[in-house]
Amino acid sequence: MTLYFNTDIAKDVGLTAAVIYEYIIEGVSHSMTRREYSHQGVYWTRQSVAEIALFLPFFSEKQIRSSLNKLVSTGYLKSGCFNKDLTDRTKWYTNGEKVRSYDFSC
């Protein structure tokens, strides 16, 4: 797998968070393509820390959790919980106020 990150985001919130940001945004892109996980007129990706750790095994769950919290608190991501099962606490993520412009067309 080849990973990319935005150097401006890395300067702002760190390299780990920048890589995780790109991973989350890729998930949002897949949701848009498959027209799933749409809520409040926005596409989201639904990811647990453990699931992210499976795809990014070089980061610990603690690093992932910390980076996600930092990305949300700085406005790069928004998080929500729209699960139908009330016992499912898996978070959903989408672009925050500091949205990068993406061209999802091929």
Side-chain angles (χ1 to χ4, degrees), residues 46 80-92:
R46 183 181 177 279
C81 187
F82 309 111
N83 302 309
K84 293 179 181 170
D85 179 356
L86 297 178
T87 62
D88 184 355
R89 298 178 55 207
T90 305
K91 286 192 176 182
W92 296 36

Side-chain angles (χ1 to χ4, degrees), residues 56-73:
L56 303 174
F58 37 84
F59 295 136
S60 70
E61 288 190 12
K62 182 178 178 181
Q63 288 175 302
I64 294 167
R65 190 174 293 104
S66 174
S67 294
L68 288 169
N69 289 337
K70 188 181 289 187
L71 288 164
V72 170
S73 70

Side-chain angles (χ1 to χ4, degrees), residues 10-79:
K11 286 181 204 172
D12 193 19
V13 292
L15 179 60
T16 302
V19 171
I20 291 170
Y21 175 82
E22 294 297 334
Y23 176 78
I24 293 293
I25 295 307
E26 182 69 23
V28 173
S29 174
H30 284 293
S31 294
M32 289 175 66
T33 301
R34 297 193 325 252
R35 301 214 186 281
E36 64 182 1
Y37 299 126
S38 176
H39 193 72
Q40 300 174 336
V42 177
Y43 286 99
W44 301 72
T45 187
R46 183 181 177 279
Q47 299 278 319
S48 70
V49 171
E51 290 169 331
I52 295 170
L54 290 174
F55 287 95
L56 303 174
F58 37 84
F59 295 136
S60 70
E61 288 190 12
K62 182 178 178 181
Q63 288 175 302
I64 294 167
R65 190 174 293 104
S66 174
S67 294
L68 288 169
N69 289 337
K70 188 181 289 187
L71 288 164
V72 170
S73 70
T74 56
Y76 285 103
L77 293 177
K78 285 197 296 190
S79 68

